[in-house]
Amino acid sequence: MSTAIALAGPGDADKVMDLMARYHADAGLPHDDTHRAQVTRPLLDGSPLGAVWLIGPKSSPLGYVMVTFGWSMAHGGMVGWLEECYIRPSVRGRGIGTEVLHAVAVNLGRAGMQAMHAILPAADPDVAARFCTRAGFRPLRDVRMMTDPL
């Protein structure tokens, strides 16, 4: 299997926003169109702080992946954060998400990224953990994440 992925740009905003709205509704996330546009627009415009990829045919994408970038002393350089990975329900269970997430990670690794992190949702961490494990993620020992919302 070889699912096409393409870096999304400004011309893909409507498609990305539609897929994000579907994902946020399915996941029960509180984000609205204003929030989605505010967060995603800089990435679609080429910000070096992250990227969005469309999955499948550009005319009717099957989903998307959003990764943001940071720097890590522990990992020795650039790291990525898997922010969102959404596959339309009608095509789930075929390995598309796993294949795409692995391909994104491999390509980012070739570009110098040292590690990619995923934060698992509290609502259903086992499903998310199985998906991430299939794509190459593994739990870190002795790590607990905390956040100070600014």
Side-chain angles (χ1 to χ4, degrees), residues 54-89:
L54 287 172
I55 301 167
K58 268 213 164 189
S59 60
S60 182
L62 304 175
Y64 71 96
V65 176
M66 177 190 284
V67 177
T68 58
F69 307 131
W71 200 259
S72 170
M73 179 64 74
H75 293 286
M78 185 172 67
V79 295
W81 290 90
L82 174 61
E83 294 288 339
E84 297 186 352
C85 182
Y86 174 76
I87 304 293
R88 290 178 188 246

Side-chain angles (χ1 to χ4, degrees), residues 127-139:
V127 171
R130 285 192 300 274
F131 169 66
C132 288
T133 299
R134 286 192 305 269
F137 288 78
R138 65 180 189 275

